[in-house]
Amino acid sequence: RTENCDLHLCFSLNLTFIDLIFSSLTAPPTVRIIHSGHACNVEEERYTERVYTIREGETLELACLVSGHPRPQIRWTKTAGSASDRFQDSSVFNETLRITRIQRLQGGRYYCKAENGLGSPAIKSIRVDVYYLDDPIITVHQSIGEAKEQFYYERTVFLRCMANSNPPVRYSWRRGQEFLSQGLDKGVEIYEPFFTQGETKILKLKNLRPQDYANYSCIASVRNVCGIANKNVLFKLSNKTASPTIKLLVEDPIVVNPGQTVTLVCVTSGGDPTPTLTWVHSTDELPKKSVLNGGTLTLPAISIEEAGVYSCVASNNVGNPAKKSTTIVVRGLKKGRFWITPDPYHNDDNIQIGREVKISCQVEATPPEELLFSWLKNGRPLRSSERMVITHTDPEVQPGTTNLDIIDLKFTDFGTYTCVAVLKNGGIPEISIDVNISSTTVPPELTVPRDKSPLVVQEGDTVELQCLVSGKPKPIILWSRADKEVPMPDGGLQTESYDGALRIVNVSREMTGTYRCATSQYNGFNVKPREALVELTVQYPPAVEPLFTEIRQGLGRAFTLNCRMLRAHPSKVLKYEWKLGTRLLTMGQLDQRDETDYHVRALNREGYGEYTCEVTNEAGAGACRFLVTGRAYAPEFYYDTYSALWQNRPRVYGFKLQWTQQNPLSVDRIVAYRLGIKQVNTNNHTAIFQAKIPMEGAIAKGELITHNLTELIKPEAYLVRLTPITRFGEGDSTDRTIRYSGENSPNLLWECSFEDEAVCMFTQDKTDDFDWTRHSAATRDTKYTPNTGPSSDRVGSKQGFYMYIETSRPRLEGEKARLLTPTFNVAPKSPYGTVTSSPTYCFGFYYHMYGKHIGALNAYLRQKGQSGADSSVWTLVGNQGDRWKQAKVNIHPTASFQLVLEGIRGPGIEGDIAIDDVTIEEGECKDPPHNSKCFFGKGGGHDLYIIQNQSIRKRQGL
C-alpha cells in the first residue's frame, strides 16, 4: 500500500493479483443501439428492427454500446436514403453518432458495426424516420371540355391541394368559416386521385353557383405527431380569377456584340391572383452577374457563353403557367483553318503546273447567315473567274467554308492567297488566313529522330516525344496511343501539336507504350495522313513489401526478416543490401528469386533498431524497413468489470481497475506497470499522481489483473494511464477515463445513475410496447409536453442523465415499457458453496411521476428457473408532484435474478415517468425514504414499501 497526496490529489493504492487465466475475458463483440437527442418516438417493429422517429431540424443522437474484450472498434454507416444523400460514402468511427438539424434526406437505416478480431463483427441497425410537413399549395384548374373565353364562366372548377409530408398528410377544406365534407353540399365533391397515393386532395365545384365565389382554405395535418402543427393555405375564388398571360417587350432573336448590356422585359397582361414572374435560361441557371428586378432581367457585358434561350414564366397557381421565350445571339468568329487539296484525278500529292489545286478556308460564325468570305492574291482582291473559281457552302451549315479552285495551274498563279472572314454588319474583328502556293509547297512527311525512339526515361521525369515534320505548309500534328482505346496522359484520346512535339510532365509507369503521331488535314494538305510511331519505356525502381513492419522481440530470441520484390523495370539486374542503421550486414543479387531473408539467431541489445533492405535497379531503390524493439505492447483495459465503483466514504470513492496484457509473451517479462492518474477537469500538468506497480512472475495471455484505486475525490473524473515496463524500458501506454456516478454504501452490490451511455448494462424488454429513453434536462425538448417530466436529474443537475418514458403520440393508454437490470448471482454463504437460506437485498431507486395523465410505475423480481409471471415487489399509481422521491424494498431471491421496472402509459400525453440512481445492496434496507414513515413486516419473499403521498402501505405475500 502506498500513499501520496499532491495538490489535492490523494490516492491510496491496493494491488490484487488474480492468478487465473479466464478464457471468457477474450470475447467477441456484442452491440446494441440506444438513443437520446430529440426523438418523438422509438418503437420495435415486430420481427424487423427499431424505428427512431424525429422531426426535421431536430438533433439526432444515437449511441452504439459494445461489450467484448479487447475493446471493440466501432463504425457507423448508413444505407442511401436517396440518390442525393452521400452519407453512405463516409463512416463515423465513434460510439455516438450526432446529426444536428437533421433533414428529410438523412432518414434511412443506420448501422453500428463493432469488431475486435474475435469471431464475426457485431452489427445492429436502427431505422431513422424523419417527420416533416411543408406548406400546402392550392392550384386551380378548369374542365377542359367546358373552357370558354373567360376562365371562370364555365361550370366546373377543380381546386387541388398538395403538401409534402411524412407521415402521410390529411386534408380538410373550408369555405369561409364552414368546413366542407363529402355529401353535405350537392355542388361540392371532395376526392383523392388514385394516382397521387393520398398526396393530393381535390375540391370539385360542380355547376358553379354565386355562393361558390368565396375564400377557400386547405388545412394540411399530420395529426400533431412530433408536435408538428397543422398548416393551411388560403385561395380567393372570384369571377375575376384567371390564369396568367404575359408579353415580352423584346425582339426575337436578339443579336448583340460581346460586351453589350442586354435588357429583357416581361410584363403580365392578365391573371388573377396577380402572377409572379421569373426568368430561366436554357442552361437552367441564370448568369451569376445577371440582375433580376421583377419582370426585368439585365445581362451586363454579355459573353458568347451566356448566349441561348431565355424564358419568362408567369404563375399564379391558376391553370398552367404562362411561358414566352426569346433567343440571345452573341456575334463572333472563331476557329479559322485551311487545307490544300491537290488534283484528285492524279495519284500524286504534289502541286504541279498544269494541274488543278483547291484551297479551302473554314470559320465558325455566329450568326452563320452574317458570314462573308473574300479572297486576296498577294494583297489584292480576287474575283471568281473561269480559272479561279470561288464557291461558298450553304450559310446554314456550320462551320462556314469557302473554296478557291485554281484550274490549270500556271507559274503566274504562284503567290500568297488570303482568305478573309467577316460578319455582315461589322463590329467583330475579321479573321484572315494566308496560304502560300509555290514550287516549294509540298505535302508533309513525318520522321522520328534516331535517338527519340525507343525512348527510355525514369519515372517522374519530364519527357518530350518528337516527330519531325517536313513539307510546306506544316500541318497540325495529332498524337494518340497506338492502341486507340487507351487515353493520352491528359485523359483525352487525341492531343494536338503545332510543332510536332508531345511533352509529358511527371511521366508514370502506366504511360509506357507506343505513341502514334499523324498529320491532320488542317493547315496543311488534304491528303492521306502521314504517320510515325514512337516507343516509350518508363523505368521505375522496385516496389517491395513490407514497407514498414514493427517486430517486438525479447533478448536471446531468434527471428527472420523477409523482404519481397513485387515489381520493377528493368527487373533482371536487382541487387540487395541489408543494413542495421548505417551498418552493412550483408549484400547480394536477386537472380531467379523475388525475395531475400535475414536471420537473427539470438537477439542481443545491439540488435535492437531499424533494419533496412534496399533492392535496387537502374531506376532507383525500394526499401523494406523493420523496427525491432523490445517495447511491450499496450495493456487492454477491461471495461466490463462488474461493480467497478466501491467504497463508501463521505468525500471519496474507489474504483476497481482491471486489464489484460496484449501479447505478454512476445517480449521480455513485464516486471512492473507505471500508473499515472490526473483529474480530468484541471489544467495543472503537475497535478499528476504516479506509482509503480510491481509484477511477480510472468503474465499469461488473457490473465486478468486487478488494481484498486482509492481516495478518489467525489465527483471528479480521472484520466488513468498504464504503461508496462520490461528490462528493455517502458512499453506502449493505454489511457481510459473513470467517472464517479452515484452515492455508495459499504454493502453496495450495484448502482446505476445512467451517466454512462451503456446505462449500466440495463436492457429493453423485447416483449413490451415501447422503450425507456435516456435523457438529460439539457437535451430533452419539453415544448411538446411542458407539464410533465423532470426538469433535472435526481441531484438537481440539468446535465445529468436519467431514464424516462415518453408518453406523447403515438403512445396509447395502457402501453408498457419495461427496463431490465443485468442478471445477479446469489452469493453462497456456506463454505461448501450452497445457499443455506434466502439472502436479503435492498433494491432502491428514485422516481419522478409528475403530470395529470400519470399511469403506473411497477417493479418486479424475475428469478432464473422459476416459470410463470414475474413477482411484483413495488407499485405506484398517479401524479406524485414535481419532485424526485425515493423507493426502497427488501427482496429475497433464491436464484440468479433480475429486477424489472415497468412504466405504464396513462390516459394522455402529460404522463412522463422517470427513474434515476438505481441501487442493489446486500442486507436489509437500513434507511427509509425521506419525508415518509416506514412500517416493517415480512412477506412471502420480500418486504414491500409503497411510498405514496408521504405514506407507506405494507403488502405481504406478494
Side-chain angles (χ1 to χ4, degrees), residues 595-656:
E595 61 183 356
T596 173
D597 295 331
Y598 183 75
H599 304 280
V600 176
R601 293 182 175 82
L603 181 64
N604 55 30
R605 287 192 173 273
E606 291 72 24
Y608 287 121
E610 184 173 273
Y611 289 76
T612 304
C613 174
E614 283 193 352
V615 181
T616 59
N617 65 0
E618 295 178 17
C624 298
R625 289 182 169 80
F626 306 86
L627 179 61
V628 179
T629 177
R631 289 172 59 90
Y633 287 96
E636 295 175 319
F637 282 115
Y638 187 62
Y639 285 83
D640 300 331
T641 301
Y642 184 73
S643 191
L645 285 171
W646 58 281
Q647 193 181 48
N648 181 30
R649 293 175 62 186
R651 299 182 59 188
V652 298
Y653 69 99
F655 189 85
K656 186 187 297 183

Side-chain angles (χ1 to χ4, degrees), residues 65 147 187 210 215 231 419 603 698 782 833-834 887 915:
L65 306 183
N215 292 332
K231 295 186 177 182
C419 166
L603 181 64
T782 59
T834 60
I915 58 172

Side-chain angles (χ1 to χ4, degrees), residues 29 58 83 273 297 322 363 393 407 530 636 675 685 689 724 870 880 904-905 949:
E58 302 285 18
L297 175 65
V363 173
T393 59
I407 310 299
R530 274 54 169 170
E636 295 175 319
L675 176 69
H685 296 288
F689 176 85
D870 300 331
Q880 305 300 312
I904 302 178
R905 202 258 197 189
N949 299 327

Side-chain angles (χ1 to χ4, degrees), residues 139-155:
T139 58
V140 183
H141 303 270
Q142 64 176 329
S143 175
I144 298 175
E146 301 176 4
K148 299 181 180 180
E149 293 182 3
Q150 295 297 322
F151 186 89
Y152 272 97
Y153 287 168
E154 63 271 359
R155 292 174 135 188

Side-chain angles (χ1 to χ4, degrees), residues 416-550:
T416 300
Y417 293 83
T418 304
C419 166
V420 180
V422 297
L423 291 182
K424 187 181 300 181
N425 298 318
I428 301 297
E430 67 179 28
I431 291 180
S432 61
I433 303 171
D434 292 335
V435 183
N436 185 263
I437 300 295
S438 67
S439 59
T440 60
T441 303
V442 293
E445 295 295 336
L446 282 181
T447 58
V448 178
R450 291 184 178 180
D451 58 343
K452 294 295 184 178
S453 183
L455 197 60
V456 179
V457 297
Q458 306 292 323
E459 189 171 41
D461 289 349
T462 296
V463 62
E464 189 174 271
L465 280 61
Q466 185 70 53
C467 275
L468 298 179
V469 187
S470 61
K472 184 179 179 181
K474 291 184 178 180
I476 297 173
I477 301 301
L478 301 178
W479 283 94
S480 62
R481 300 291 287 262
D483 182 352
K484 295 183 179 180
E485 300 297 325
V486 180
M488 294 289 286
D490 61 1
L493 293 177
Q494 212 171 54
T495 302
E496 289 187 356
S497 171
Y498 287 86
D499 61 358
L502 175 64
R503 184 179 177 86
I504 304 176
V505 179
N506 193 22
V507 66
S508 63
R509 63 193 69 178
E510 294 81 11
M511 298 176 188
T512 294
T514 304
Y515 290 77
R516 174 186 286 111
C517 61
T519 59
S520 76
Q521 72 176 47
Y522 299 117
N523 298 359
F525 273 70
N526 182 22
V527 295
K528 182 179 178 180
R530 274 54 169 170
E531 295 183 353
L533 298 178
V534 177
E535 290 287 341
L536 176 64
T537 301
V538 181
Q539 294 184 342
Y540 53 91
V544 297
E545 68 173 9
L547 295 177
F548 178 83
T549 298
E550 184 182 66

Side-chain angles (χ1 to χ4, degrees), residues 178-379:
E178 173 194 7
F179 277 96
L180 301 175
S181 59
Q182 182 69 25
L184 292 182
D185 186 337
K186 293 183 179 180
V188 174
E189 183 179 343
I190 301 174
Y191 65 95
E192 295 178 358
F194 175 75
F195 63 87
T196 63
Q197 298 181 349
E199 297 176 356
T200 300
K201 198 80 164 184
I202 290 182
L203 177 66
K204 181 179 180 181
L205 304 176
K206 301 180 292 183
N207 298 320
L208 202 64
R209 304 160 299 179
Q211 63 264 35
D212 292 331
Y213 294 116
N215 292 332
Y216 290 86
S217 298
C218 173
I219 298 96
S221 172
V222 289
R223 300 160 299 286
N224 202 39
V225 295
C226 287
I228 300 176
N230 296 345
K231 295 186 177 182
N232 64 80
V233 61
L234 177 69
F235 184 86
K236 182 179 180 180
L237 180 64
S238 71
N239 57 4
K240 296 181 180 179
T241 302
S243 57
T245 57
I246 57 175
K247 292 181 180 179
L248 286 184
L249 305 183
V250 293
E251 298 178 354
D252 183 32
I254 304 172
V255 181
V256 296
N257 291 333
Q260 286 185 331
T261 297
V262 180
T263 300
L264 306 178
V265 180
C266 178
V267 296
T268 59
S269 56
D272 186 77
T274 302
T276 57
L277 299 175
T278 57
W279 280 94
V280 295
H281 187 214
S282 53
T283 60
D284 294 331
E285 290 186 4
L286 293 175
K288 293 183 178 180
K289 60 185 179 182
S290 61
V291 179
L292 186 60
N293 183 12
T296 301
L297 175 65
T298 303
L299 304 171
I302 195 168
S303 64
I304 294 177
E305 293 75 17
E306 294 168 350
V309 178
Y310 287 78
S311 302
C312 176
V313 181
S315 176
N316 65 352
N317 291 338
V318 178
N320 296 319
K323 180 179 179 181
K324 289 196 174 182
S325 304
T326 185
T327 302
I328 298 179
V329 178
V330 181
R331 303 169 73 240
L333 295 170
K334 60 180 181 179
K335 291 188 178 178
R337 288 179 169 177
F338 76 92
W339 59 91
I340 302 170
T341 305
D343 193 333
Y345 299 105
H346 295 81
N347 291 326
D348 189 350
D349 292 340
N350 292 292
I351 296 175
Q352 296 186 16
I353 299 295
R355 293 184 180 178
E356 179 183 339
V357 63
K358 181 197 293 184
I359 306 172
S360 300
C361 177
Q362 189 178 83
V363 173
E364 291 186 10
T366 306
E369 63 270 14
E370 289 192 18
L371 178 61
L372 297 176
F373 284 110
S374 61
W375 285 90
L376 305 176
K377 179 184 177 184
N378 297 326

